[in-house]
Each structure stands twice: as C-alpha cells, then as structure tokens.
Amino acid sequence: GMQPTTLKQFQYDEKSTSLDQRISSHRQYSNFDLHEWIKKKFRVQPGQRILDLGCGNGNFTELFWQAVGPEGHILGCDKNETLIHQALDRHSGITSKNVRFLTHDFDSPLPGDEQFDWIFAIYSIYYSEDSSALLEMLLERLRVDGVLVIIGPGPENILGLTEFSTRLTGEKPRLTHLERMKRISDEFQPVLKKELGDSRIEYLEVDSTLEFPDAESFANYYWATLNWRENVENFDEQTIRDLKEKTILWANQNPQIRTVQKQMSCLIGNK
C-alpha cells in the first residue's frame, strides 16, 4: 500500500509573511512584471467567470476584477485559511457578491457545479498530489472554449540560488524541491496534451532576473524562500543566526550573488 509519509510530499504551507516578502522583492527588484504579462497575454472579457486556484491572499484578484467588471465573477480558492482571511480583508472595498473567496484544498473536488471561462493556477498547482485527477476535475469545470492557465517555476528557476544555499548551509536541496521545478513541463504538460490534444495546448518559459542593490535586500528575499526554509529547518537558533550573518557577509563580498536568475513556465490549455 501507499506509505502515508509520501502522501503529502509536494505539499507546502505558505507562511504569509514569507509570501509577502517574496512578492514585494519581485515588485521592487524584478525586471519582469507578472501582472502586466498576464494582462497582455490573456484577453479576459467583461462578464466572464474566473476561478483563481491557490489564490493566496488575492494577489491577482484586482487584476481579474478590472478585466471582468461588475458583470463578471471571480472565485478565489486557497487551502490556507489565514491567507483567505487576508484576501477578504484586502478586497473589502469590492462589495460585489460576484467576488468570492473559499478555503479549499484543490486536491479535493471543488464544491458546486459552476462553470468557468478561465481557470488560473498561479504559483500554486505544482504542489498538487495528483496532477491527473486535478486536471481532469478542472477541465470538467471549464466551459467549452474556456482556458486553463498554469503558471509556476520553470526547470531552470533559481538554480544559482539553490547552489548558493547548498554552499552556505551544507544541505543539499531536497529532491522534491528540484522535481517541483520540472512538474509543469514534465508532468502537467503530457497529461493536458492527452486530455486536449497537441494543437490545444501551449507551453512557454520566460526568463527574468532579480537584481538586489545590496546584501540586505538580497538576504531578506533569500530567507523568505523555500530553499532557505528547507535547508535550515533542522538547525538550532544559534546556527541559523550564524548562517544569516554569513549570508550578509557573502552577499557583500560577491555582488554577483545578488543577481538571481528566475524562470517561469506557463502551460495553457484551450478546451
């Protein structure tokens, strides 16, 4: 039978402060704006219905709401109740009944039978336990001519930072961490191809950089990454403090450490 220990191997509970730190690092120091890219790439129409899967604290709600307008509908789902509460607070200005947030783990079926024109899974779905079951469920909830958009890290994402983290902490990256980076291309893509056919899917990778002006801004980003958290989770406080000092020292000595190479992958399925 299946070992319970492997059951949730890809799962990840986001600490909201880490999420906020990473989002603000990208806003300030990245040469790539994901909001702008989504807006240009996907022609969301007024009145359409959007499912935002793994919506976190609603980082894209505003963008989607501007696109669908008062006649449109948005449902944001996340399994983390704290993040859903933050999303509700953050968007309390939108009084429309058409914008809803739901605490829901996407590895279980979505309640109701609402159909969507768009399903966006932005930096969330690659933590899923069962890609085939999840994609099947999502395609069922997509209208004919609807579009499923899966965005996450690309296979080459932060390889340099991962190497840096290994050098600094002496801990190798977990296999699941490296597998996660490839899941969209190696696992989700073939499943979607099989469900929809080659001509109905598109896969692309977008490279970008984070340029941190000083050691502190780099360190604050690095300490908010899963890389750092997984590497130091078994260390005591003193060791962690020492490693934090070493982070600053190394980032001061080697300015190239402060340039982080990012890669995003995007998988699009047209029903």
Side-chain angles (χ1 to χ4, degrees), residues 16-59:
S16 55
T17 49
S18 300
L19 180 66
D20 287 342
Q21 176 62 57
R22 292 204 309 276
I23 288 170
S24 92
S25 290
H26 280 99
R27 222 187 1 252
Q28 285 175 273
Y29 306 117
S30 176
N31 64 353
F32 176 69
D33 181 340
L34 183 52
H35 285 76
E36 280 304 308
W37 189 84
I38 287 173
K39 199 159 133 183
K40 286 198 182 83
K41 175 88 184 152
F42 304 107
R43 298 285 172 207
V44 178
Q45 301 300 314
Q48 290 190 318
R49 288 174 181 265
I50 295 180
L51 172 61
D52 183 0
L53 200 67
C55 65
N57 57 12
N59 191 17

Side-chain angles (χ1 to χ4, degrees), residues 137-194:
M137 173 189 80
L138 295 179
L139 291 172
E140 275 170 20
R141 302 305 286 272
L142 208 53
R143 289 188 172 160
V144 179
D145 293 334
V147 185
L148 169 62
V149 179
I150 299 170
I151 290 174
E156 305 278 301
N157 188 50
I158 61 168
L159 286 185
L161 188 71
T162 303
E163 282 165 20
F164 165 79
S165 199
T166 298
R167 278 210 319 278
L168 181 82
T169 63
E171 295 283 311
K172 284 204 164 35
R174 301 213 183 137
L175 203 55
T176 51
H177 171 77
L178 298 171
E179 282 171 359
R180 258 196 308 260
M181 299 294 181
K182 297 191 170 79
R183 281 194 93 191
I184 294 177
S185 60
D186 295 5
E187 190 181 328
F188 286 90
Q189 185 175 211
V191 173
L192 208 54
K193 254 187 190 157
K194 204 180 86 209

Side-chain angles (χ1 to χ4, degrees), residues 103-140:
T103 304
H104 173 75
D105 186 339
F106 52 60
D107 275 327
S108 52
L110 192 66
D113 53 10
E114 190 178 350
Q115 296 277 301
F116 301 93
D117 300 288
W118 297 88
I119 297 177
F120 284 93
I122 305 172
Y123 285 90
S124 62
I125 198 174
Y126 56 100
Y127 294 115
S128 162
E129 289 306 312
D130 184 343
S131 47
S132 301
L134 177 58
L135 289 176
E136 218 167 285
M137 173 189 80
L138 295 179
L139 291 172
E140 275 170 20

Side-chain angles (χ1 to χ4, degrees), residues 21 25 29 212-223 247-249 251-252 258:
Q21 176 62 57
S25 290
Y29 306 117
F212 294 100
D214 50 49
E216 282 72 20
S217 55
F218 164 77
N220 285 325
Y221 166 73
Y222 167 55
W223 298 331
T247 304
I248 300 280
L249 188 69
N252 270 322
R258 308 199 300 255

Side-chain angles (χ1 to χ4, degrees), residues 139 189-203 267-271:
L139 291 172
Q189 185 175 211
V191 173
L192 208 54
K193 254 187 190 157
K194 204 180 86 209
E195 294 279 341
L196 297 174
D198 275 23
S199 63
R200 313 287 295 169
I201 75 160
E202 182 189 351
Y203 173 78
L267 178 60
I268 304 158
N270 301 279
K271 191 167 172 182

